[in-house]
Amino acid sequence: KDTYIGEGDSDNESADSEADDCLQNAGAYSGEEVLRIMKDKLVRLQKLYIDQFQRIVHKMRESRRVYLSRLRAEKDAGLVSIYSQPKDVQEYARFKAMMHYYSPVGREALLAARNRERRLAAASVTKPGAVSSPCQHVLTTTTKCGDPCVPLAKFCLKHILEEPGQVLYR
């Protein structure tokens, strides 16, 4: 039989644990006994909820700490911050076109490769070859929008409102 680590441990932590219920075979309970048993169960359940909440708060703080350390590492490496990028869609398209206007050659190619390596080292969680797919919005029966998708979505900035289940953009 396969056994798992921690199997059976939840019975002792459960609010409905019958192991420590001394009146389980008593038959009929008085009003005070019922109130005491229910109060004890509620106190145990409240303690479990508080412990779970503290664990979630700890995980959230740890995730924030990791995010801020990565952001600080990227800023120290001299990489472009998301806050310094243009907010307007047309200005963003112009900025993107300016960034890719020419392919670096010679010394500039070496510097660009070094900068790319620094960015990858600072991010450390990037996927190799991650290219955004085209927007899934159907313009006509045979064509789709060709703009790049918002990260982790199927639609571009113009059509993100059509994605079912999205809650960030209204």
Side-chain angles (χ1 to χ4, degrees):
K1 178 182 170 185
D2 293 333
T3 57
Y4 300 100
I5 297 173
E7 186 177 36
D9 290 346
S10 66
D11 288 342
N12 294 334
E13 296 175 0
S14 175
D16 293 329
S17 178
E18 300 290 333
D20 57 347
D21 191 3
C22 60
L23 300 175
Q24 71 181 12
N25 297 323
Y29 299 128
S30 67
E32 294 85 20
E33 291 171 334
V34 170
L35 287 175
R36 183 183 56 82
I37 291 170
M38 295 308 291
K39 180 184 172 204
D40 291 344
K41 285 184 179 182
L42 286 175
V43 167
R44 273 190 301 216
L45 190 60
Q46 183 180 23
K47 182 187 175 297
L48 290 173
Y49 279 130
I50 289 171
D51 291 345
Q52 180 72 4
F53 180 74
Q54 289 173 346
R55 186 184 74 80
I56 290 171
V57 167
H58 173 74
K59 283 180 68 177
M60 191 169 76
R61 285 183 180 154
E62 181 66 18
S63 297
R64 178 172 168 75
R65 185 189 64 78
V66 168
Y67 166 74
L68 290 175
S69 68
R70 286 184 183 162
L71 188 66
R72 195 174 310 116
E74 186 173 313
K75 185 183 272 187
D76 292 343
L79 303 175
V80 176
S81 170
I82 191 168
Y83 301 109
S84 66
Q85 293 179 357
K87 305 289 188 258
D88 187 27
V89 175
Q90 290 176 341
E91 190 177 342
Y92 177 74
R94 196 177 115 251
F95 176 73
K96 191 173 175 184
M98 294 284 285
M99 293 297 288
H100 299 290
Y101 182 70
Y102 69 97
S103 298
V105 180
R107 187 175 187 186
E108 291 182 49
L110 293 174
L111 291 174
R114 187 179 301 156
N115 189 22
R116 193 177 313 113
E117 290 171 2
R118 282 193 319 180
R119 182 180 294 274
L120 289 174
S124 75
V125 186
T126 58
K127 297 176 185 173
V131 177
S132 63
S133 58
C135 178
Q136 296 297 312
H137 175 71
V138 178
L139 296 174
T140 64
T141 56
T142 57
T143 60
K144 291 184 179 179
C145 175
D147 292 344
C149 290
V150 174
L152 302 175
K154 295 180 181 178
F155 295 94
C156 66
L157 280 175
K158 290 185 252 178
H159 304 111
I160 189 68
L161 295 175
E162 296 178 16
E163 182 165 358
Q166 72 83 20
V167 294
L168 288 177
Y169 303 97
R170 300 254 172 187

